[in-house]
């Protein structure tokens, strides 16, 4: 019996050493980020008080043209790692929302503190643009724009010291819809720029803020003039829904997915996120669903309680997928 207990103790110690060897960096990273997060909460930092943390004040490269295939130059911004390190940097790509018609690539204040915290730990943040719809639906072009941004990262990894094996994507609303399609589809789907099409588009993880996952669930009544014109331009809605529903692309090789959505969302039904989560579980894709309670669709007027919930979940999810 003593011999058995001795070997059991040796095995347990060995397992503990292996666990620490594998996860010690993540444990340390989690501690540092949680410490910063708690510090922000203790100082009662709100979205109106983040001037010192605004991303725009520490941008390294602005309006880099990543492609021009339709007479409209498309650009991205790079917020480089704030940590002095010669190793290639993990990348977080931000894709803005705006109902496919509006918006720009500036980082929302609600996301700035958490993204800057990751920059301090060695991450590079890239914010991209895509061709906005003007008068008619053009989902295909927008998806290829997001996908070509990912391909651009692979192409330019050496120029900006980026690690293409460690790309995470954050999309909001329409940007989340495009990010889901770009991330779930295969390398050879949704191509546009001939040069960029030679590069991979694989990512490691995806964060979806209230993205439409099933276009058939959207309420297209009482839309404004621009959106009414867009949806009226679709001749065969069934074909569009089939091709541009992200949930149709979920498969066993899909990246780890974090879904963040309010159950009071007045624009995109919360049901769409529930269905995406269930589909991920069905396909054995690692997925999490964080439910918010603000009566808003995007991050513009999100409550401080939901900011805390969102930030904590976002932090934990990225750390779990972190190579640092």
């Amino acid at each position: 019996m003593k011999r058995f207990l001795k070997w059991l103790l040796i095995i347990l110690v060995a397992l503990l050493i292996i666990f620490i060897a594998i996860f010690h960096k993540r444990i340390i990273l989690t501690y540092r980020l949680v410490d910063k997060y708690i510090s922000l909460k203790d100082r009662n930092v709100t979205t109106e008080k983040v001037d010192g943390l605004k991303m725009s004040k520490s941008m390294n490269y602005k309006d880099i043209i990543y492609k021009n295939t339709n007479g409209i130059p498309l650009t991205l911004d790079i917020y480089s790692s704030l940590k002095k390190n010669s190793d290639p940097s993990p990348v977080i790509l931000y894709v803005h929302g705006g109902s496919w018609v509006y918006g720009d690539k500036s980082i929302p204040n609600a996301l700035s503190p958490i993204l800057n915290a990751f920059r301090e730990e060695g991450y590079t943040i890239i914010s991209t643009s895509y061709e906005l719809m003007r008068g008619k639906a053009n989902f295909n072009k927008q998806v290829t724009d997001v996908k070509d941004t990912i391909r651009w990262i692979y192409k330019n990894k050496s120029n900006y010291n980026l690690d293409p094996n460690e790309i995470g994507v954050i999309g909001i609303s329409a940007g989340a819809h495009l990010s889901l399609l770009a991330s779930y589809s295969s390398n050879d789907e949704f191509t546009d720029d001939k040069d960029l099409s030679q590069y991979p588009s694989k990512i490691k993880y995806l964060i979806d803020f209230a993205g439409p996952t099933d276009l058939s669930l959207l309420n297209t009544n009482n839309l404004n003039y621009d959106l009414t014109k867009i949806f009226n331009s679709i001749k065969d809605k069934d074909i569009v829904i089939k091709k541009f529903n992200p949930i149709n692309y979920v498969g066993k090789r899909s990246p780890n997915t974090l879904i963040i959505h309010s159950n009071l969302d007045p624009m995109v039904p919360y049901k769409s996120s529930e269905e995406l989560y269930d589909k991920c579980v069905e396909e054995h894709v690692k997925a999490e669903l964080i439910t918010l309670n603000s009566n808003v669709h995007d991050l513009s007027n999100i409550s401080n309680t939901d900011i805390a919930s969102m930030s904590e979940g976002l932090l934990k999810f990225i750390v779990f997928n972190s190579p640092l």
Side-chain angles (χ1 to χ4, degrees):
M1 186 66 178
K2 289 183 178 179
R3 188 175 182 183
F4 170 77
L5 291 174
K6 178 182 177 182
W7 279 107
L8 180 61
L9 180 61
I10 291 172
I11 291 171
L12 289 174
V13 171
L15 288 173
L16 180 61
I17 292 171
I18 292 171
F19 176 83
I20 293 173
I22 294 174
F23 293 104
H24 76 286
K25 287 187 177 181
R26 288 183 184 174
I27 293 169
I28 293 170
L29 178 58
T30 302
Y31 173 80
R32 286 200 297 254
L33 288 170
V34 167
D35 185 56
K36 290 174 186 175
Y37 173 67
I38 292 173
S39 175
L40 288 174
K41 288 179 70 177
D42 288 345
R43 287 189 282 122
N44 195 28
V45 176
T46 68
T47 54
E48 284 74 38
K49 299 178 182 179
V50 293
D51 287 349
L53 298 167
K54 282 185 179 179
M55 302 287 287
S56 59
K57 294 189 175 184
S58 55
M59 187 188 300
N60 299 90
Y61 304 95
K62 182 177 175 60
D63 292 333
I64 297 174
I65 297 176
Y66 69 88
K67 75 171 186 178
N68 185 352
T69 57
N70 201 22
I72 301 174
L74 294 174
T75 62
L76 55 82
D77 299 332
I78 299 179
Y79 305 81
S80 300
S81 164
L82 298 174
K83 190 174 185 179
K84 294 186 182 298
N85 192 336
S86 60
D87 294 334
S89 170
V91 178
I92 297 176
L93 172 63
Y94 169 74
V95 185
H96 73 83
S99 302
W100 303 285
V101 180
Y102 313 109
D104 60 55
K105 55 184 166 54
S106 56
I107 304 286
N109 286 351
L111 280 179
S112 293
I114 193 73
L115 291 182
N116 266 327
F118 277 103
R119 289 179 69 202
E120 291 174 6
E121 296 301 329
Y123 279 74
T124 293
I125 312 299
I126 296 179
S127 177
T128 193
S129 62
Y130 50 87
E131 188 176 329
L132 299 177
M133 293 184 188
R134 293 288 182 257
K136 62 179 182 179
N138 195 358
F139 292 113
N140 196 79
K141 179 63 167 60
Q142 293 187 327
V143 177
T144 61
D145 292 345
V146 175
K147 202 153 179 124
D148 277 348
T149 302
I150 298 170
R151 293 173 176 131
W152 182 92
I153 293 171
Y154 277 86
K155 179 183 178 181
N156 292 275
K157 60 183 181 180
S158 299
N159 295 336
Y160 299 96
N161 199 31
L162 308 174
D163 186 350
N165 296 314
E166 299 293 342
I167 301 174
V169 178
I170 298 178
I172 295 179
S173 185
H177 167 255
L178 302 175
S179 298
L180 288 163
L181 282 166
S183 303
Y184 287 164
S185 55
S186 61
N187 282 334
D188 57 355
E189 292 179 288
F190 298 111
T191 60
D192 181 31
D193 184 280
K194 290 183 179 179
D195 178 38
L196 293 175
S197 67
Q198 301 172 39
Y199 295 88
S201 59
K202 181 182 178 182
I203 68 161
K204 188 175 184 182
Y205 60 90
L206 171 66
I207 299 164
D208 156 29
F209 283 95
T213 67
D214 183 349
L215 298 177
S216 66
L217 294 177
L218 291 178
N219 182 359
T220 55
N221 297 321
N222 301 318
L223 297 175
N224 65 22
Y225 174 80
D226 291 329
L227 287 172
T228 298
K229 199 171 180 181
I230 295 296
F231 280 96
N232 285 344
S233 73
I234 301 174
K235 295 179 180 178
D236 194 325
K237 289 184 172 61
D238 290 337
I239 290 177
V240 169
I241 288 171
K242 183 179 180 180
K243 184 174 181 180
F244 298 107
N245 269 4
I247 201 166
N248 295 338
Y249 293 83
V250 178
K252 290 179 175 57
R253 296 185 179 180
S254 296
N256 296 350
T257 303
L258 173 64
I259 307 162
I260 303 174
H261 201 158
S262 172
N263 55 11
L264 301 175
D265 192 323
M267 294 182 65
V268 176
Y270 177 72
K271 181 182 177 183
S272 66
S273 285
E274 289 183 307
E275 290 185 355
L276 175 61
Y277 175 77
D278 290 342
K279 181 67 174 179
C280 286
V281 171
E282 179 186 326
E283 294 291 338
H284 304 289
V285 176
K286 290 182 180 178
E288 297 177 41
L289 173 59
I290 294 176
T291 302
L292 305 180
N293 298 296
S294 298
N295 189 24
V296 294
H297 171 62
D298 57 18
L299 300 179
S300 56
N301 293 303
I302 189 171
S303 71
N304 285 343
T305 301
D306 275 348
I307 286 178
S309 223
M310 173 197 75
S311 299
E312 188 174 357
L314 190 68
L315 184 153
K316 289 178 181 177
F317 181 78
I318 297 178
V319 167
F320 176 81
N321 288 281
S322 174
L324 302 181

